[in-house]
């Protein structure tokens, strides 16, 4: 006999309501944020200065590890190699994918905001490693620069952002829920 | 409250997933490198056919110029260098690396089932890549061929093709593997005690 007061288990698409909601929200946030950064004023006043900051930080690290680099705007150069840090090299794509996934996930807002901010920092650290590694590749293994630039490091940065999200959704969110 | 076993299962799921990602990254990359010339040929032929279907008269030519690049030509438009534009086709589909490693790295699921899920995801991804290359060529026609683009495409059409190419080339290309993976395995995050479901 069944308990007449109990709710029957969801079937069909209702059984996947949480997943569908997450995916729809994720896609909306992702496309929305990419549309926002595509606007010229946002690009000029937010993305470009941010990219200049990434270039400056990378130049600082390269100089600190003895590469003898000099900065000229967003260009980092030494005697062997020069690279111009532009949009696409700033880790913003990975940040937006990670941010959309965190904000779309059903968790307390406090947990989401903490996850969002810490993830952004972590992605920027990975991106800093990427720019430094790419500069060193260009300087010492120039034949590998193109594939490293477009394929290897873009994949690593995006994979890192997804792994960060998985760690956050699997480990941090349940712990925060248990604590509250 | 969650049991200690449940917590351990979550921890081990996440760490096994990370370990598997690292293990699968190398074989997936090797397969991608090996298959890239054949896949580039397939993509250019498929996108060329799709482009010709939308043209009257059919004028687009899309041919591989080397291992990674394809050149765009038109029967009704000539260029001094022999082609109108050069596209790095391999850049369109390197998200195979993310897709392959994500789908093969999932712990607690049989290899057969992971391959089956990857097969469905791969089918969707091939269509995605053909549409991406199609949009890239449309973007070239609408915005990159100077006076010819201005004569053939209005302001709204240029914006539309430019935006469509941008959306497929950046957010969707990078998020596509995660979107598909989440479609198959997201349930693990809503039922953490049995992540392999």
């Amino acid at each position: 006999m069944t308990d007449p007061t109990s709710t029957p288990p969801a079937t069909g698409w209702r059984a996947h309501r949480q997943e569908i909601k997450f995916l729809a929200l994720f896609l909306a946030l992702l496309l929305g944020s990419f549309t926002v950064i595509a606007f010229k004023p946002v690009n000029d006043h937010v993305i470009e200065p941010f990219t200049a900051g990434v270039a400056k930080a990378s130049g600082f690290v390269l100089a600190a590890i003895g590469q003898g680099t000099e900065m000229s705007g967003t260009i980092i150069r030494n005697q062997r190699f020069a690279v111009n840090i532009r949009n696409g090299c700033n880790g913003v794509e990975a940040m937006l994918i990670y941010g959309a996934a965190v904000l779309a996930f059903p968790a307390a807002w406090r947990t989401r905001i903490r996850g969002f901010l810490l993830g952004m920092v972590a992605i920027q650290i990975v991106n800093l490693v990427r720019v430094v590694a790419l500069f060193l590749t260009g300087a010492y293994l120039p034949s590998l620069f193109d594939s490293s630039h477009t394929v290897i490091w873009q994949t690593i940065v995006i994979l890192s952002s997804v792994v960060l999200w998985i760690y956050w959704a699997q480990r941090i969110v349940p712990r925060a829920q248990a604590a509250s | 409250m969650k049991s200690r076993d449940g917590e351990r299962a979550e921890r081990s799921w996440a760490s096994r997933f990370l370990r598997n990602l690292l293990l699968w990254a190398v074989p997936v990359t090797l397969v991608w490198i090996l298959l890239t010339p054949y896949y580039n040929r397939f993509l250019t032929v498929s996108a060329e056919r799709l482009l010709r279907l939308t043209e009257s008269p059919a004028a687009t030519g899309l041919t591989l110029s080397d291992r990674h690049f394809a050149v765009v030509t038109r029967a009704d438009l000539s260029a001094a260098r022999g082609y109108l534009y050069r596209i790095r086709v391999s850049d369109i589909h390197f998200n195979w690396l993310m897709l392959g490693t994500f789908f093969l790295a999932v712990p607690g699921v049989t290899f057969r089932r992971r391959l089956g899920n990857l097969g469905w995801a791969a089918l969707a991804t091939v269509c995605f890549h053909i549409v991406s290359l199609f949009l890239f060529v449309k973007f070239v026609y609408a915005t990159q061929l100077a006076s010819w683009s201005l004569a053939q495409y209005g302001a709204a059409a240029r914006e539309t093709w430019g935006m469509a190419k941008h959306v497929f080339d950046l957010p969707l290309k990078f998020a596509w593997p995660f979107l598909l993976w989440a479609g198959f395995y997201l349930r693990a995050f809503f039922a953490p005690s049995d992540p392999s479901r």
Side-chain angles (χ1 to χ4, degrees):
Chain A
M1 242 173 90
T2 54
D3 176 5
T5 60
S6 67
T7 316
T11 53
W13 72 270
R14 281 176 200 280
H16 301 281
R17 204 165 47 185
Q18 271 187 308
E19 290 101 303
I20 293 168
K21 193 177 163 190
F22 169 84
L23 288 174
L25 202 52
F26 169 72
L27 207 53
L29 286 168
L30 184 74
L31 295 179
S33 55
F34 268 90
T35 306
V36 168
I37 66 163
F39 281 117
K40 199 171 167 8
V42 178
N43 181 65
D44 292 351
H45 295 103
V46 181
I47 303 300
E48 292 288 355
F50 182 78
T51 308
V54 170
K56 210 169 178 178
S58 309
F60 177 79
V61 173
L62 282 162
I65 60 172
Q67 289 302 307
T69 47
E70 286 174 8
M71 295 291 302
S72 163
T74 54
I75 297 171
I76 310 170
R77 67 158 60 90
N78 69 2
Q79 287 179 331
R80 302 181 74 108
F81 191 63
V83 70
N84 189 5
I85 309 296
R86 298 170 65 186
N87 285 353
C89 311
N90 53 16
V92 167
E93 292 86 4
M95 284 164 70
L96 294 182
I97 290 172
Y98 173 82
V102 166
L103 296 178
F105 197 72
W109 274 105
R110 196 187 158 92
T111 315
R112 283 191 237 192
I113 290 166
R114 272 184 66 186
F116 181 83
L117 295 175
L118 289 174
M120 298 292 141
V121 174
I123 289 168
Q124 277 310 311
I125 291 170
V126 174
N127 194 60
L128 189 66
V129 174
R130 168 210 195 182
V131 176
V132 170
L134 277 174
F135 186 91
L136 295 175
T137 305
Y140 299 101
L141 298 163
S143 61
L144 296 180
F145 180 79
D146 272 347
S147 25
S148 295
H149 179 228
T150 53
V151 177
I152 298 170
W153 276 102
Q154 294 216 57
T155 303
I156 290 174
V157 173
I158 300 294
L159 275 176
S160 306
S161 69
V162 174
V163 167
L164 272 172
W165 178 82
I166 287 171
Y167 180 82
W168 174 82
Q170 271 249 311
R171 298 284 303 279
I172 308 297
V173 173
R175 208 179 290 167
Q177 279 168 349
S180 65
Chain B
M1 215 175 116
K2 201 166 287 168
S3 71
R4 195 166 287 177
D5 282 351
E7 277 183 24
R8 203 173 295 145
E10 278 167 35
R11 193 178 312 142
S12 83
W13 191 90
S15 52
R16 276 189 297 158
F17 181 72
L18 183 58
R19 183 202 61 192
N20 292 351
L21 269 183
L22 297 173
L23 288 174
W24 277 109
V26 174
V28 167
T29 306
L30 287 177
V31 170
W32 180 76
I33 290 169
L34 281 173
L35 295 183
T36 283
Y38 307 102
Y39 191 62
N40 282 349
R41 187 174 302 276
F42 165 77
L43 273 188
T44 47
V45 169
S46 307
E48 184 190 69
R49 287 191 181 165
L50 188 59
L51 283 156
R52 287 179 170 213
L53 277 178
T54 64
E55 298 171 332
S56 181
T60 296
L62 199 55
T63 40
L64 276 184
S65 63
D66 65 23
R67 188 180 164 86
H68 295 293
F69 286 89
V71 292
V72 183
T73 54
R74 281 189 68 91
D76 56 4
L77 187 64
S78 58
R81 58 189 168 186
Y83 60 86
L84 301 169
Y85 204 85
R86 204 156 169 254
I87 298 172
R88 193 175 152 99
V89 183
S90 306
D91 280 1
I92 289 173
H93 62 78
F94 74 82
N95 58 2
W96 274 124
L97 301 177
M98 291 173 254
L99 189 90
T101 45
F102 280 152
F103 273 80
L104 293 171
V106 178
V109 177
T110 61
F111 183 66
R112 194 187 165 89
R113 196 167 148 213
R114 275 180 281 156
L115 268 188
N117 291 344
L118 177 59
W120 287 111
L123 202 61
T125 303
V126 169
C127 299
F128 178 84
H129 290 149
I130 294 170
V131 173
S132 293
L133 188 51
F134 168 86
L135 290 174
F136 202 131
V137 177
K138 284 291 188 185
F139 156 79
V140 169
Y141 286 165
T143 66
Q144 302 295 304
L145 302 180
S147 55
W148 189 86
S149 296
L150 289 172
Q152 303 290 326
Y153 292 84
R158 286 200 299 276
E159 288 292 332
T160 306
W161 290 118
M163 194 64 188
K165 185 257 180 190
H166 172 75
V167 166
F168 268 72
D169 194 36
L170 279 175
L172 283 185
K173 180 169 79 180
F174 291 130
W176 185 256
F178 173 67
L179 265 171
L180 290 175
W181 182 85
F184 280 98
Y185 296 108
L186 194 65
R187 205 165 174 71
F189 297 90
F190 297 121
S193 58
D194 183 11
S196 60
R197 276 203 299 178

